[in-house]
Amino acid sequence: MADKQISLPAKLINGGIAGLIGVTCVFPIDLAKTRLQNQQNGQRVYTSMSDCLIKTVRSEGYFGM
């Protein structure tokens, strides 16, 4: 394999794109996990992770994620 040098701007762009994809995939799961953990025993708002994600999108919209 040839030894090619990748320029700094290309590395920064690749890192930025990877970071955006990572946040887009991980943040909704982490949001649902946190909301499920913060429920009180008497107040069960969400029954599962998918229920939490669906209710969040319905009440807060796509950008509420």
Side-chain angles (χ1 to χ4, degrees):
M1 200 170 191
D3 291 331
K4 289 187 177 181
Q5 294 291 330
I6 299 174
S7 65
L8 181 62
K11 288 181 182 180
L12 291 174
I13 291 170
N14 285 338
I17 291 171
L20 285 172
I21 291 171
V23 167
T24 303
C25 295
V26 173
F27 186 77
I29 295 169
D30 195 39
L31 175 82
K33 178 189 70 132
T34 304
R35 289 188 178 187
L36 286 168
Q37 287 175 342
N38 285 336
Q39 292 186 109
Q40 301 296 327
N41 287 337
Q43 296 176 330
R44 302 284 302 182
V45 178
Y46 309 112
T47 57
S48 66
M49 187 172 281
S50 60
D51 179 51
C52 179
L53 292 172
I54 290 169
K55 286 181 180 177
T56 302
V57 169
R58 285 183 183 162
S59 66
E60 299 176 23
Y62 176 75
F63 292 108
M65 289 293 197

